[in-house]
């Protein structure tokens, strides 16, 4: 009996002192998180008292009220208030999916708080979240991590592809080259879209002409890639003829299609006068074999080493650098032989000569006997060919056949070269 009396007396005292409205108001002003946690603890308060105080607390300014908010009430607050609540009060997955689409997009645009797989799955199921993320992308004109990862993860549901088209068309009214428009084009190049969706873009009154043309070009990239993959094996006469016609009919074959080529396709690609893009070379050196690398080193300008990134990739496989050096050595040896035999070289051979590390010495020997085609005069301006350039200028003092191209001559004047012959020449 005494224990019961003590317990209930303490409970009444505890409730009167801590849980009367005035005391709780003071506690809430000083430590709102503690007050909310105490009231929402079942050991301290029943459902009725908790509900009463929560209803009263939600009428206070947000600074104090935020600690009393439950996730199901979040969409009654502004975007900034929802984000503040999530960051300071409740960062649970339940709260994440109760945010308004606009607040959700701003909060997770850089893949923060939760794994990408979790965010992507939720966005795949809710078109409003995808739409809000695109709206944010339009307003910022910046591709954030989440939208980039989501677009690269696979094909979109039909409804979301339609939303993407709608947003891109609306964006093009304000931005001639908008971010969402580029996202749409990249998606078409990678995954393609239906004929119906293509017509939705090309016939849309809102869409700019620039966007319409970009979408048509992107579809062409996608179709080129499909054609290349379909003809990859080249195992029938019909496929060989079709690929030959494809290479002959295209002024430019897309990077996406170039990356898909087999060795035989590449040979026909090269014979039709096409050259690999630097991005395709990087891909092929990384993923193809030694034989393919040899063809690139032999056929492409500058032996395929078009930039520092490609040079870096040469360390990916042990055979790449030795193979390249061996091919350069063979090319230089062949050029030395031809030049010392006084052969007049074709423009293609001369261009390859300027690609060689020993180009200055080779050029000096060659131009001692033959002038260069004007199309190659610019290559004399390369730093490694300075000696050959000076000698060529001295030749042009005496021989009309060695007159420099007008544009190259102007550049030489800017660099301080004397183009007029000395008085005693």
């Amino acid at each position: 009996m005494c224990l019961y009396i003590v317990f209930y007396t303490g409970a009444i005292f505890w409730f009167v002192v801590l849980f009367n409205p005035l005391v709780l108001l003071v506690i809430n002003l000083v430590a709102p998180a503690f007050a909310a946690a105490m009231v929402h603890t079942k050991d301290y308060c029943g459902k009725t008292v908790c509900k009463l105080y929560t209803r009263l607390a939600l009428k206070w300014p947000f600074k104090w009220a935020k600690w009393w908010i439950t996730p199901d009430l979040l969409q009654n607050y502004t975007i900034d208030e929802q984000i503040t609540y999530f960051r300071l009060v409740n960062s649970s997955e339940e709260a994440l999916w109760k945010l308004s689409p606009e607040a959700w997009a701003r909060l997770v645009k850089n893949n923060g708080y939760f794994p990408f797989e979790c965010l992507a799955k939720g966005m795949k199921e809710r078109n409003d979240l995808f739409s809000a993320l695109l709206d944010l992308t339009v307003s910022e004109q910046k591709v954030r991590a989440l939208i980039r990862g989501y677009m690269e993860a696979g094909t979109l549901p039909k409804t979301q592809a339609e939303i993407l088209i709608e947003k891109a068309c609306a964006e093009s009214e304000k931005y001639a080259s908008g971010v969402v428009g580029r996202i749409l084009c990249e998606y078409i190049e990678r995954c393609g879209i239906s004929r119906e969706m293509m017509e939705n873009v090309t016939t849309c009154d809102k869409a700019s002409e620039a966007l319409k043309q970009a979408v048509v070009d992107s579809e062409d990239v996608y179709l080129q890639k499909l054609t290349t993959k379909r003809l990859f094996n080249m195992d029938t006469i019909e496929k060989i003829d079709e690929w030959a016609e494809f290479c002959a009919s295209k002024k430019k074959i897309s990077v996406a299609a170039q990356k898909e080529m087999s060795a035989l396709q590449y040979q026909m690609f090269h014979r039709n006068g096409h050259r690999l893009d630097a991005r395709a070379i990087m891909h092929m050196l990384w993923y193809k074999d030694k034989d393919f690398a040899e063809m690139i080193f032999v056929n492409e300008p500058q032996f395929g080493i078009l930039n520092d990134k490609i040079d870096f990739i040469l360390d990916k496989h042990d055979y790449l650098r030795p193979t390249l050096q061996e091919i350069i050595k063979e090319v230089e040896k062949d050029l030395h032989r031809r030049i010392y035999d006084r052969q007049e070289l074709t423009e293609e051979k001369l261009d390859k000569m300027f690609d060689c590390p020993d180009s200055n010495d080779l050029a000096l020997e060659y131009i001692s006997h033959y002038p260069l085609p004007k199309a190659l005069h610019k290559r004399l301006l390369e730093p490694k060919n300075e000696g050959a350039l000076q000698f060529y200028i001295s030749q042009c003092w005496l021989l009309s056949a060695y007159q420099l191209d007008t544009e190259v001559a102007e550049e030489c004047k800017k660099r301080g070269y004397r183009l007029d012959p000395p008085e005693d020449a």
Side-chain angles (χ1 to χ4, degrees):
M1 181 65 73
C2 289
L3 288 174
Y4 276 115
I5 292 172
V6 171
F7 173 78
Y8 283 111
T9 301
I12 293 170
F13 176 79
W14 176 268
F15 181 78
V16 170
V17 171
L18 291 180
F19 287 92
N20 72 76
L22 291 177
V23 173
L24 196 61
L25 174 61
V26 174
I27 296 175
N28 191 66
L29 291 174
V30 176
F34 173 74
M38 187 170 56
V39 171
H40 285 90
T41 302
K42 294 180 179 179
D43 293 338
Y44 298 156
C45 285
K47 290 184 179 180
T48 303
V49 175
C50 177
K51 187 175 181 180
L52 170 64
Y53 282 137
T54 298
R55 187 169 66 249
L56 293 174
L58 292 177
K59 296 180 180 180
W60 299 335
F62 182 76
K63 178 180 179 181
W64 293 281
K66 64 177 179 284
W67 302 98
W68 299 80
I69 297 171
T70 52
D72 57 296
L73 300 175
L74 272 176
Q75 297 203 23
N76 296 331
Y77 294 85
T78 66
I79 293 173
D80 288 336
E81 288 172 345
Q82 290 180 58
I83 293 174
T84 299
Y85 171 85
F86 186 86
R87 287 175 173 167
L88 297 181
V89 180
N90 185 352
S91 298
S92 68
E93 190 171 343
E94 178 192 9
L96 176 72
W97 301 118
K98 292 294 184 179
L99 294 168
S100 68
E102 295 78 10
W104 181 90
R106 280 180 51 182
L107 189 69
V108 302
K109 60 186 179 183
N110 287 320
N111 278 14
Y113 300 100
F114 290 92
F116 170 77
E117 293 76 12
C118 171
L119 299 175
K121 181 181 178 182
M123 187 157 52
K124 185 80 79 173
E125 296 170 353
R126 288 182 54 182
N127 294 335
D128 58 338
L129 300 181
F130 179 69
S131 180
L133 193 58
L134 288 179
D135 287 336
L136 181 66
T137 304
V138 171
S139 64
E140 292 185 334
Q141 283 298 290
K142 186 174 182 179
V143 182
R144 298 287 187 170
L146 179 58
I147 189 65
R148 182 187 296 111
Y150 186 72
M151 294 303 301
E152 293 175 355
T155 56
L156 296 174
K158 181 181 178 181
T159 53
Q160 292 191 356
E162 292 171 345
I163 291 171
L164 176 61
I165 290 172
E166 179 186 348
K167 299 295 182 183
C169 291
E171 177 196 51
S172 69
E173 290 185 290
K174 185 176 181 181
Y175 301 101
S177 180
V179 169
V180 173
R182 294 199 296 272
I183 291 174
L184 172 61
C185 291
E186 290 170 2
Y187 177 75
I188 294 173
E189 290 179 12
R190 188 171 57 253
C191 302
I193 56 174
S194 67
R195 177 54 50 191
E196 178 186 355
M197 290 183 184
M198 276 294 298
E199 291 178 356
N200 288 343
V201 181
T202 55
T203 61
C204 178
D205 295 335
K206 292 182 179 180
S208 66
E209 291 302 318
L211 177 64
K212 292 177 181 179
Q213 185 59 51
V215 166
V216 171
D217 293 341
S218 297
E219 186 189 35
D220 183 56
V221 169
Y222 176 71
L223 294 176
Q224 284 189 28
K225 182 175 69 173
L226 288 186
T227 299
T228 307
K229 293 174 73 172
R230 179 171 56 82
L231 301 176
F232 181 85
N233 291 325
M234 303 282 280
D235 51 3
T236 65
I237 296 298
E238 290 76 14
K239 287 184 178 180
I240 293 173
D241 290 341
E242 185 178 351
W243 179 252
E245 183 181 353
F246 174 80
C247 290
S249 64
K250 293 291 182 181
K251 291 183 178 179
K252 181 178 180 182
I253 295 179
S254 70
V255 177
Q258 291 178 24
K259 290 179 180 180
E260 300 293 338
M261 289 191 296
S262 64
L264 183 56
Q265 283 178 314
Y266 172 68
Q267 291 172 2
M268 297 180 69
F269 167 90
H270 174 71
R271 284 200 294 269
N272 278 274
H274 295 290
R275 296 293 180 266
L276 289 174
D277 185 272
R279 291 166 291 177
I281 292 175
M282 287 189 283
H283 177 86
M284 288 171 169
L285 293 180
W286 191 281
Y287 293 106
K288 303 287 186 179
D289 58 15
K290 181 180 178 180
D291 292 339
F292 212 121
E294 286 182 358
M295 289 191 295
I296 291 173
F297 296 150
V298 169
N299 295 324
E300 296 302 319
Q302 301 178 47
F303 299 98
I305 315 305
L306 304 182
N307 57 40
D308 292 339
K309 290 183 179 179
I310 295 176
D311 185 71
F312 175 78
I313 285 176
L314 293 179
D315 295 322
K316 167 65 177 175
H317 303 293
D318 293 338
Y319 61 79
L320 287 175
R321 285 195 186 276
T323 301
L324 173 62
Q325 294 305 318
E326 185 63 30
I327 289 172
I328 291 175
K329 184 178 178 180
E330 290 177 3
V331 170
E332 287 188 336
K333 183 179 179 180
D334 177 67
L335 288 169
H336 272 292
R337 181 184 60 80
R338 291 173 182 273
I339 292 171
Y340 292 149
D341 288 346
R342 302 293 184 263
Q343 294 183 26
E344 187 171 5
L345 301 181
T346 64
E347 190 170 314
E348 183 180 0
K349 288 287 185 183
L350 289 169
D351 203 27
K352 182 62 73 174
M353 177 187 74
F354 281 114
D355 289 339
C356 294
D358 198 22
S359 63
N360 188 66
D361 292 340
L362 290 168
L364 277 170
E365 183 65 29
Y366 182 79
I367 62 181
S368 299
H369 304 281
Y370 299 104
L372 292 173
K374 287 197 172 184
L376 294 175
H377 285 189
K378 284 185 178 180
R379 302 219 60 177
L380 290 169
L381 296 172
E382 295 172 9
K384 65 178 180 176
N385 300 322
E386 184 178 0
L389 175 60
Q390 291 176 339
F391 182 75
Y392 203 86
I393 291 173
S394 68
Q395 290 288 79
C396 81
W397 293 342
L398 305 173
L399 302 169
S400 60
Y402 283 78
Q403 296 303 307
L404 285 169
D405 173 75
T406 305
E407 186 178 342
V408 175
E410 289 299 320
E411 181 61 28
C412 288
K413 290 179 181 178
K414 292 178 182 178
R415 296 185 182 187
Y417 289 102
R418 180 175 181 175
L419 301 185
D420 297 324
E423 293 181 0
D424 57 348

